Amino acid sequence: STPNGSDMLPEDFLRLALWHRVGPLVFQADFAQRVPFQGRVDRVHEHLEKVYYATAAQNLKIFHELQKILTLFSDAKIPVIVLKGCHLIPALYRSPALRPLSDIDLLVSPAYLDAASLCMNLLGYRQEEAIFQSKWMERYWNRIALHLPPFRRHDYAVVEIHGEIRHRDRRQIPNDRIWSTAI
């Protein structure tokens, strides 16, 4: 049985690890080797190993693209702060394979949003406006959105450029406070 005393099939364990996006962490910790699956550990371990290396490859591709974006922003004198996963991986994880990335989140001062959009277009990215079922939904999204419409390019991560950051209760954090404390 598993550590909590329940019987879990390897397929269930694998499905849960992948759903929670912790497959690479489970592989790195070699946790699957310590959970008795009545001789079926090898399949789980092999699948988690594939997920680990696929995550590493995908993340390295995203970091390569992030570097191109940051270089172009720097050349254009656009101040930028890297947010969320792309910031957390080098700061907290020992390997780029341990946290799956799905997008690039950047904070750009509102005064530079147009210039940032132009730079993204130079890199071949295009914005896709959201399609809403009603005008009410569109107005609501535009009021709560924390970023420009996402930038997309074939086979690359989505890039979200934020012009502000808000607290969980939706209060805006003053931009001057953010930029004055940025490293």
Side-chain angles (χ1 to χ4, degrees):
S1 67
T2 59
N4 67 3
S6 66
D7 289 326
M8 180 180 286
L9 295 172
E11 296 78 17
D12 295 334
F13 177 80
L14 193 57
R15 183 180 48 78
L16 284 171
L18 298 178
W19 187 81
H20 287 286
R21 297 180 55 162
V22 295
L25 283 168
V26 171
F27 171 76
Q28 191 258 352
D30 209 19
F31 182 74
Q33 293 290 348
R34 292 184 258 140
V35 178
F37 285 128
Q38 298 147 0
R40 295 186 283 178
V41 170
D42 289 344
R43 280 191 316 187
V44 172
H45 185 79
E46 286 173 16
H47 192 82
L48 290 174
E49 182 178 27
K50 288 177 185 174
V51 169
Y52 177 88
Y53 288 110
T55 301
Q58 177 65 22
N59 286 356
L60 290 173
K61 182 178 176 181
I62 289 172
F63 277 115
H64 178 75
E65 192 65 17
L66 173 62
Q67 188 58 51
K68 289 188 337 190
I69 294 168
L70 294 177
T71 298
L72 187 57
F73 280 23
S74 175
D75 292 347
K77 308 274 190 274
I78 300 170
V80 61
I81 298 173
V82 179
L83 302 173
K84 300 183 183 180
C86 287
H87 169 74
L88 291 174
I89 287 176
L92 299 177
Y93 294 88
R94 293 184 304 265
S95 164
L98 294 179
R99 185 188 193 281
L101 293 173
S102 58
D103 64 0
I104 296 171
D105 289 279
L106 303 172
L107 178 65
V108 171
S109 175
Y112 293 91
L113 289 175
D114 288 339
S117 292
L118 289 172
C119 286
M120 295 303 293
N121 289 333
L122 287 172
L123 290 171
Y125 284 87
R126 299 293 174 250
Q127 285 180 285
E128 292 183 8
E129 295 288 338
I131 298 172
F132 298 98
Q133 295 176 352
S134 70
K135 286 290 183 190
W136 178 87
M137 286 294 293
E138 183 177 1
R139 283 192 305 273
Y140 179 72
W141 172 254
N142 289 333
R143 195 181 77 208
I144 66 164
L146 298 177
H147 56 76
L148 298 174
F151 291 88
R152 299 179 192 278
R153 190 170 93 195
H154 180 69
D155 279 348
Y156 286 90
V158 171
V159 179
E160 294 178 351
I161 298 180
H162 300 253
E164 63 181 275
I165 295 179
R166 295 185 188 177
H167 290 281
R168 288 182 187 263
D169 64 4
R170 309 300 299 162
R171 286 180 297 128
Q172 182 179 356
I173 299 173
N175 276 327
D176 58 343
R177 191 170 124 210
I178 293 168
W179 291 100
S180 67
T181 59
I183 300 174

